[in-house]
Amino acid sequence: MNGVGPTTESLEASEGLLVRSFSVLVLDGADAGRRVNVTTGRAVIGTHDSADVRLSDGAVSRFHAELAIEGEGIQLRDLGSRNGIYLAGVRIREALLPQGAVFEVGRSHLKVELETTINRRDASPATSFGKLVGRSPRMRQAFSLLERAARSDATVLLTGETGTGKEAAAKSIHEQSARKVGPFVVVDCSSVPASLFEAELFGHEKGAFTSAHAAREGAFELAEGGTLFIDEIGELSLDLQPKLLRVLEQREAKRLGSQKVLPVDVRVVAATHRDLRAEVNARRFRADLYYRLAVVEITLPPLRERGDDMPMLVAHLGASIGERLRVDPTPLSSPAVLDELRRHAWPGNVRELRNYLERYLVLGGAEPRAPEEVTIDPHQLDLEVSLKEGRERAISGFERAYLQGILERHGGNVSEAARAASVDRVHFYRLLWKHGLTVKRA
């Protein structure tokens, strides 16, 4: 680049974030000669109408790959495409491309070129949004989008790794919207059995199915005039996806066993830790439902990309924990403690950090050590089952044991156990029901 212009992903400015432009040139194939200039720092390549670099190449998936400015190059990532990405003849999942790199998708070769143009992206001057706090560029950029989403009634899709604060973001959108006086209803797709999920969303009349001994309102009715938060939307089964899409498009629903059509006045916020574009490519998620949910798509960054936020985040979480448990959070502000916390990757993100801080304050002791990763002896695994089945068994076994242990620790008090587990009380009850556990009253 002849030393012209900065090469970092983004430069913090008081008015916003500065992001470098890049261009994508199609060298051959069905779209040869097409050039797309990218000013947002990120672009999706695919055949879907919403793709930033849209190709007509039949060997390209709907959401094939993603490009994003990263340091002095451009990060290229496969989005679970059918035919993959090739760089110098080698299939790759992810790579940092230098200036002028050429790669292959489908039957097309594409070239990326960094530009000298710098564009300003909106970043909120605020260091908090409702229940979320942070001063890092990535968080202030998310705050800007969340603020605008709260001012509208548009459907929002929150994405990001587990524990990044998606439910807190959804609740904060609701509390800062015109619907704040209405209800905030949560439905978790990962905790409701598929056979009962339709009734959970839409409700049912008495006798609609064997165990329907009385009529029951569904989540859409309960959320009337407010916000419905559908968590882990990526777990929704394929047969239920068109039914949800119909409600979102027609703004009306029917209880199971009823012919009466009910108008729907609900703002929907959905969340997932999965990449729904990859799920669309794998045909596990409908493209039209993804497109309908992602009217406003906001990604919450993982904690490892928010190093600047650690002191502020620890102070915020520590104050909340200290007030609830009546303990002094002052030890958390020690430079030695903060340095130790920064050294950990926190794969469980803010949720893991909060639980760790609570444990540290309750138990006291020396400076916290980064939590050790869980290791499993491969010789103790049942290798006769598929990876998927083995993973589901492990997760189910962990959930059941965790629920039993946390309930026992809190003397069977569900409210206290749910708070300690950092989950909603209603969701905690659903998990108990899912695993056939009952609460033993004192």
Side-chain angles (χ1 to χ4, degrees):
M1 297 302 295
N2 300 320
V4 179
T7 56
T8 54
E9 175 186 1
S10 59
L11 302 176
E12 190 172 359
S14 58
E15 304 85 357
L17 300 175
L18 302 179
V19 181
R20 189 170 185 173
S21 296
F22 65 91
S23 63
V24 181
L25 174 64
V26 184
L27 300 177
D28 53 21
D31 305 284
R34 176 176 298 174
R35 179 186 291 273
V36 177
N37 293 314
V38 181
T39 61
T40 60
R42 191 175 299 269
V44 171
I45 301 167
T47 59
H48 195 269
D49 290 344
S50 65
D52 304 290
V53 182
R54 188 181 174 195
L55 302 176
S56 54
D57 185 339
V60 171
S61 297
R62 283 174 285 189
F63 302 103
H64 199 104
E66 182 179 55
L67 292 164
I69 290 288
E70 183 75 33
E72 297 186 4
I74 301 175
Q75 192 75 18
L76 172 65
R77 182 168 67 93
D78 193 335
L79 295 176
S81 64
R82 182 176 67 255
N83 295 321
I85 305 170
Y86 289 83
L87 184 63
V90 178
R91 184 165 183 170
I92 62 165
R93 291 184 180 274
E94 191 168 351
L96 186 63
L97 304 178
Q99 165 72 327
V102 175
F103 60 95
E104 180 182 358
V105 294
R107 290 182 286 270
S108 305
H109 287 83
L110 279 63
K111 181 180 181 180
V112 293
E113 296 177 342
L114 284 163
E115 308 288 352
T116 58
T117 307
I118 303 297
N119 302 281
R120 190 177 304 282
R121 298 193 67 185
D122 290 339
S124 174
T127 55
S128 67
F129 177 80
K131 301 176 184 298
L132 304 175
V133 299
R135 58 168 56 94
S136 64
R138 291 288 306 278
M139 281 305 289
R140 292 195 298 108
Q141 187 178 329
F143 289 163
S144 177
L145 295 172
L146 290 166
E147 289 163 357
R148 280 181 282 176
R151 292 194 294 267
S152 76
D153 214 24
T155 303
V156 177
L157 176 63
L158 299 170
T159 62
E161 296 177 8
T162 298
T164 49
K166 295 186 289 295
E167 183 168 353
K171 186 69 179 292
S172 299
I173 289 174
H174 170 73
E175 292 175 346
Q176 298 194 29
S177 73
R179 293 178 174 269
K180 61 185 177 183
V181 296
F184 179 79
V185 177
V186 180
V187 174
D188 189 337
C189 298
S190 66
S191 65
V192 181
S195 59
L196 298 177
F197 196 84
E198 189 172 359
E200 181 78 13
L201 276 181
F202 309 124
H204 60 77
E205 297 293 347
K206 181 179 179 180
F209 47 88
T210 304
S211 59
H213 302 303
R216 180 177 179 274
E217 293 177 307
F220 275 101
E221 287 182 73
L222 293 171
E224 181 72 12
T227 301
L228 174 60
F229 175 51
I230 308 178
D231 200 8
E232 295 302 347
I233 189 72
E235 311 303 318
L236 188 64
S237 63
L238 272 172
D239 60 321
L240 289 176
Q241 290 176 24
K243 297 177 181 179
L244 175 59
L245 177 63
R246 192 175 304 116
V247 175
L248 294 177
E249 291 184 336
Q250 299 178 0
R251 313 305 295 180
E252 59 184 29
K254 289 191 299 184
R255 290 184 183 179
L256 293 180
S258 173
Q259 295 303 313
K260 183 180 179 181
V261 176
L262 302 173
V264 170
D265 178 22
V266 171
R267 199 265 184 84
V268 172
V269 178
T272 179
H273 72 282
R274 296 183 180 276
D275 188 331
L276 292 188
R277 298 165 300 185
E279 296 298 297
V280 169
N281 288 337
R283 302 190 182 279
R284 291 189 293 264
F285 203 86
R286 292 176 60 109
D288 48 4
L289 178 56
Y290 166 71
Y291 199 58
R292 187 64 186 78
L293 290 170
V295 175
V296 179
E297 184 170 354
I298 304 172
T299 300
L300 297 180
L303 190 52
R304 63 181 175 275
E305 296 179 6
R306 300 175 52 193
D308 294 344
D309 290 341
M310 186 61 76
M312 185 179 190
L313 194 54
V314 169
H316 175 74
L317 295 173
S320 174
I321 295 168
E323 181 179 0
R324 179 164 57 85
L325 300 182
R326 299 180 182 178
V327 294
D328 180 14
T330 304
L332 297 177
S333 61
S334 161
V337 170
L338 291 173
D339 286 345
E340 187 66 38
L341 294 174
R342 285 193 188 96
R343 281 194 283 269
H344 184 53
W346 302 106
N349 293 295
V350 178
R351 181 183 295 124
E352 181 187 1
L353 175 63
R354 180 178 59 238
N355 291 343
Y356 183 74
L357 296 178
E358 181 170 335
R359 185 167 64 251
Y360 174 66
L361 288 176
V362 170
L363 299 179
E367 295 174 8
R369 290 171 49 206
E372 296 180 3
E373 307 297 334
V374 175
T375 57
I376 299 175
D377 184 352
H379 298 98
Q380 296 179 355
L381 295 176
D382 182 359
L383 301 179
E384 299 303 317
V385 302
S386 67
L387 173 62
K388 179 180 179 182
E389 183 179 350
R391 180 169 55 234
E392 289 175 350
R393 286 185 187 179
I395 292 173
S396 179
F398 167 78
E399 276 189 356
R400 183 180 177 85
Y402 182 90
L403 292 169
Q404 289 175 319
I406 202 77
L407 267 176
E408 183 178 341
R409 172 180 290 185
H410 293 276
N413 187 311
V414 172
S415 295
E416 290 184 5
R419 279 196 296 270
S422 300
V423 298
D424 179 80
R425 185 168 59 87
V426 174
H427 178 41
F428 195 90
Y429 269 115
R430 286 173 177 155
L431 287 173
L432 292 176
W433 176 69
K434 172 184 174 183
H435 291 282
L437 299 174
T438 56
V439 181
K440 295 180 181 179
R441 304 289 183 183

